[in-house]
């Protein structure tokens, strides 16, 4: 397993706060390169809060090669506020959530259903925050094997 540099989340959250002056697509492309440079990570969904504050919208994603055809389906996918969705738990608590076994999730969770279909072995959801305000979440996952503790510490 590779060593993942968590500091990119801190700097990325800062850049998100400044996104009004930055090309978001360019920022997300740079972020994608950094995330996918770690061989243990093979997919992510980057979700930003919409103007209503009721949905997180998938603004950027990368799926493993065998799932690339599904990327167009999940781009702009709306994660509506729901007590069963871990992206909202992470958003509301401002805490990282790790799910090493999808059966830990509520059966009605769309995330659980998606991770089962994608055969995800491990999922980590990070709130994207700056100065106590959450702007969305980043969901990273592996279909190869569980993340090492070194990766997420």
């Amino acid at each position: 397993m590779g060593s993942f540099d968590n500091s990119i989340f801190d700097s990325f959250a800062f850049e998100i706060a400044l996104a009004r002056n930055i090309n978001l697509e360019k920022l997300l492309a740079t972020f994608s390169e950094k995330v996918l440079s770690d061989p243990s990570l093979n997919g992510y969904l980057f979700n930003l809060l919409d103007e209503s504050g009721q949905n997180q919208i998938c603004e950027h994603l990368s799926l493993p090669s065998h799932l690339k055809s599904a990327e167009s389906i999940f781009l702009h996918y709306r994660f509506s506020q729901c007590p069963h969705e871990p992206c909202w738990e992470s958003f509301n608590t401002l805490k990282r959530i790790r799910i090493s076994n999808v059966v830990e999730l509520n059966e009605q969770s769309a995330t659980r259903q998606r991770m089962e279909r994608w055969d995800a072995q491990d999922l980590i959801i990070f709130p994207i925050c700056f100065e106590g305000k959450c702007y969305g979440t980043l969901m990273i996952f592996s279909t190869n094997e569980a993340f090492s503790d070194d990766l997420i510490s």
Side-chain angles (χ1 to χ4, degrees):
M1 288 265 169
S3 175
F4 189 70
D5 181 5
N6 282 329
S7 66
I8 66 169
F9 293 109
D10 297 332
S11 64
F12 191 67
F14 178 73
E15 291 179 37
I16 287 295
L18 300 175
R20 287 167 274 178
N21 300 320
I22 297 172
N23 179 312
L24 186 58
E25 280 303 312
K26 183 177 177 184
L27 180 64
L28 292 172
T30 301
F31 177 74
S32 179
E33 287 177 29
K34 289 182 180 184
V35 169
L36 296 177
S37 68
D38 188 303
S40 66
L41 305 176
N42 53 8
Y44 72 86
L45 289 87
F46 181 85
N47 312 309
L48 290 177
L49 192 64
D50 70 2
E51 290 181 13
S52 75
Q54 299 300 307
N55 303 286
Q56 292 182 50
I57 308 296
C58 181
E59 295 292 344
H60 203 269
L61 75 156
S62 179
L63 299 179
S65 58
H66 68 284
L67 298 168
K68 285 291 183 195
S69 61
E71 283 186 353
S72 62
I73 296 167
F74 289 99
L75 184 62
H76 305 300
Y77 179 85
R78 290 183 177 275
F79 292 90
S80 298
Q81 282 198 36
C82 176
H84 305 300
E85 289 304 321
C87 65
W88 281 103
E89 181 182 346
S90 177
F91 181 91
N92 290 327
T93 63
L94 306 180
K95 294 182 180 176
R96 176 182 67 196
I97 295 175
R98 181 179 184 186
I99 301 161
S100 299
N101 187 345
V102 294
V103 297
E104 295 172 16
L105 294 170
N106 184 293
E107 288 181 3
Q108 303 198 353
S109 166
T111 299
R112 176 180 174 163
Q113 295 166 12
R114 190 171 29 265
M115 293 296 112
E116 285 176 337
R117 281 193 308 271
W118 293 353
D119 196 28
Q121 303 301 309
D122 212 344
L123 168 69
I124 304 172
I125 304 170
F126 297 89
I128 301 169
C129 304
F130 180 68
E131 294 183 349
K133 181 175 180 183
C134 198
Y135 294 90
T137 56
L138 171 69
M139 304 167 75
I140 62 173
F141 67 94
S142 172
T143 59
N144 299 323
E145 56 189 270
F147 296 129
S148 71
D149 290 335
D150 291 341
L151 177 74
I152 60 166
S153 61

